Amino acid sequence: MHDDLATLLLRRRPWHTLEAPFYTSNGILEAELDLIFSRHWIFVGQEPDVPEPGDVNALAIGNARILILRDDDNQVRAFHNVCRHRGAQLVPDGRSQVGNLVCRYHTWTYGLDGKLLFADHMGAGFDLSCRGLRPIALRSLEGLLFVCLADDPPDDFDVMAKAISPYLAPHRIRDCRIAHQVDLIEEGNWKLTMENNRECYHCSANHPELTVPLFAYGFGFAPESMDDGSRAEVARYEALVTESQGRWEAQGIPSRLIERLSGCATGFRTERLVLDRDGESHTVDTRVACRRLMGDLEEKRLGGLHFWTQPNSWHHLMSDHAITFCALPLGPDRTLLRTTWLVHKDAVEGVDYDLANLVAVWQATNRQDADLVGITQAGVGSRGYTPGPYSPHTEGLVEEFCAWYVERMTAGLGA
Ligand code: FES
Ligand SMILES: [Fe+2]
């Protein structure tokens, strides 16, 4: 498989979709779990998943079952969710609360620091100290949680953290709580989920809710095919960007584009996008959905801060709420998309916000995107599929995603 994979990677045509096996092959998914998902920083959730000591969140990255917890010193930690006795999964997937971590098979008991505290009937010479839970590297980027399954994680996480922290900090994700979380299974390869996210070429035809306050021109356009009306719209958009960025930067709210999506292990991009219609937030009526703003923010009109990470996440932060998206492969043609809506921890449902209104745009958008991923999987897995070209104006960031993927797979195979 690895020779075939090396050949496929080598002959990938830039600015074209990947060949079919990248979307359909079990063997390639196995290689990705090894070379991508086990060797890079993977977004897995946020500190509000585990707000109190003893809170646990368990999930799977491919065949790696992991748990994230908050210990008694308020530190967030990650461990393999595997008992060191006979290997039982220690805590169930999803969120739970524990005092200690007690395996229900033979009651081996671990502290929140991972140390084995108790294991009876193991004989006089049994040494508890060398049977603690196996730790996993974890970093919190202003409350967004990333893990790396490798013993030697990519050391450029700090480059991302330094660049992104000032953008995220005003929204104070650590001081949020989860208003809503949904797991959606998309019937497509995880790269189709990500590629679809990296462009808005499809937005005007598919996303009536999402596009209400979005400028089509924020996502690229073909200058040669523009009429006077379109040119006027572009000018209005550019004037609003200049005005908004100046206003935000004067308040100490960073907004300018930072892009480092390929040519590195820890790829990312951020930009604070302006919202049209005098938009306060990315909602159906463009008003804030939550009266209690995030952190200590007072200004409602902060646009939509976009933050993307390779290989598996994107995030939108407005003045009143934030939404995080975590994509994880379940199989070559199935992907888990976990979407989390965050509001200030003091915001009260029914008083400060209406949940249906808060989640309306992305509930609809996720359904629409899942459908697009599904029809694409059906096509790329079909006999007639051959790689197609990206738009030079609107799909450059899809190309960046694929370029990063090919680079990292190739580097991993070489190593
Ligand atoms: S497998 Fe966990 S205590 Fe035996
Ligand atoms: Fe979409």
Side-chain angles (χ1 to χ4, degrees), residues 196 202 207 369:
N196 174 67
H202 70 276
H207 292 320
D369 282 329

Side-chain angles (χ1 to χ4, degrees), residues 193 196-203 206-207 210 314 362 365-366 368-370 372:
T193 299
N196 174 67
N197 170 257
R198 295 321 197 209
E199 49 92 358
C200 224
Y201 188 7
H202 70 276
C203 288
N206 291 283
H207 292 320
L210 184 76
W314 66 95
W362 273 99
T365 303
N366 275 347
Q368 293 147 1
D369 282 329
L372 298 172

Side-chain angles (χ1 to χ4, degrees), residues 83 85-88 103 105-108:
C83 180
H85 177 219
R86 277 167 55 195
C103 179
Y105 203 165
H106 315 91
T107 67
W108 281 30

Side-chain angles (χ1 to χ4, degrees), residues 304-353:
L305 177 66
H306 283 213
F307 172 44
W308 298 354
T309 68
Q310 312 285 42
N312 79 316
S313 82
W314 66 95
H315 314 269
H316 296 175
L317 294 89
M318 281 66 65
S319 62
D320 64 324
H321 73 285
I323 317 173
T324 71
F325 302 82
C326 164
L328 293 168
L330 299 175
D333 54 2
R334 289 179 85 227
T335 300
L336 171 69
L337 179 67
R338 176 165 294 171
T339 306
T340 307
W341 287 261
L342 299 159
V343 294
H344 192 287
K345 63 178 185 308
D346 296 336
V348 179
E349 184 182 340
V351 177
D352 294 304
Y353 66 94

Side-chain angles (χ1 to χ4, degrees), residues 159-174:
V159 175
M160 175 168 80
K162 188 161 177 272
I164 294 299
S165 286
Y167 286 74
L168 297 177
H171 298 269
R172 294 229 307 259
I173 291 163
R174 288 191 180 94

